[in-house]
Amino acid sequence: METESWVRDPLLSQAVGRLVETFRFVEANRMAGLPFLNPALCVEASGFRLWEGLPDMGVGILISPWFINGVVLPLGHDPWGELPVGTKKTLDLPAGRFSFLVNREERTGTFLSCSFFSPVEEWTGMMEAREAARVLMETLFSGEESSPERKETQWSRRQFLRGGR
């Protein structure tokens, strides 16, 4: 697998590294033995990038044995630190408006997540999950040059894998 571009940005690389480390810890401790975990998947970050629409934030996909989520990580000042966990934040990405939830973990601090696929019990392996993450990021940022009109976006797994939005 080729090296992800986010590895070249030290702040983003550190934040993504902490996120992956945190969710590997969660998998091994809080999630251990739960029946809905998919043993064909592991915790992995995919496609994280900086985007001028969210200054000082990293945006990417987190794959785990129980979900595939979009994640927004603050790289400096934490604008959501005062918000309770579970608070909804709506963000405008190039592909449309997405609802994210405020999360907080000791190792990562505050971050936002948007569930795209959960559970992931039927996924066949990391190759399929990585391809989905790649297509998700491509789709999320495909409208960067498009009209400023936004709509609430929700995809089913079937629509997404067929290329529908």
Side-chain angles (χ1 to χ4, degrees):
M1 188 168 121
E2 76 180 55
T3 303
E4 297 260 17
S5 62
W6 52 266
V7 173
R8 292 188 291 269
D9 182 282
L11 284 177
L12 184 55
S13 180
Q14 290 170 8
V16 172
R18 283 190 304 272
L19 180 72
V20 168
E21 176 185 302
T22 294
F23 277 88
R24 287 180 178 157
F25 177 84
V26 168
E27 177 186 11
N29 294 281
R30 291 186 230 160
M31 304 300 281
L34 293 178
F36 56 82
L37 293 180
N38 183 339
L41 300 183
C42 62
V43 175
E44 187 173 291
S46 180
F48 274 84
R49 62 178 278 192
L50 300 173
W51 178 56
E52 63 276 357
L54 293 169
D56 300 319
M57 304 281 169
V59 181
I61 305 297
L62 183 64
I63 299 166
S64 84
W66 64 100
F67 65 71
I68 296 177
N69 285 357
V71 174
V72 178
L73 293 169
L75 302 180
H77 170 70
D78 179 358
W80 311 298
E82 299 299 316
L83 295 176
V85 169
T87 300
K88 287 186 179 183
K89 287 291 299 173
T90 300
L91 298 179
D92 287 327
L93 296 176
R97 183 166 287 150
F98 292 83
S99 182
F100 286 78
L101 291 178
V102 173
N103 294 273
R104 193 168 294 112
E105 291 286 340
E106 184 178 332
R107 291 176 174 94
T108 61
T110 306
F111 62 96
L112 301 181
S113 68
C114 177
S115 178
F116 288 113
F117 304 108
S118 180
V120 291
E121 294 168 293
E122 74 281 359
W123 291 67
T124 60
M126 286 306 292
M127 214 162 126
E128 180 185 20
R130 286 180 189 126
E131 178 61 10
R134 185 194 65 74
V135 172
L136 259 174
M137 284 301 288
E138 187 177 283
T139 303
L140 289 175
F141 288 94
S142 65
E144 282 189 88
E145 303 299 321
S146 68
S147 158
E149 292 180 23
R150 304 270 188 231
K151 64 179 173 98
E152 195 70 30
T153 305
Q154 291 187 347
W155 297 324
S156 72
R157 180 171 186 264
R158 183 170 286 121
Q159 287 171 314
F160 172 74
L161 291 175
R162 289 183 179 158
R165 293 201 308 204

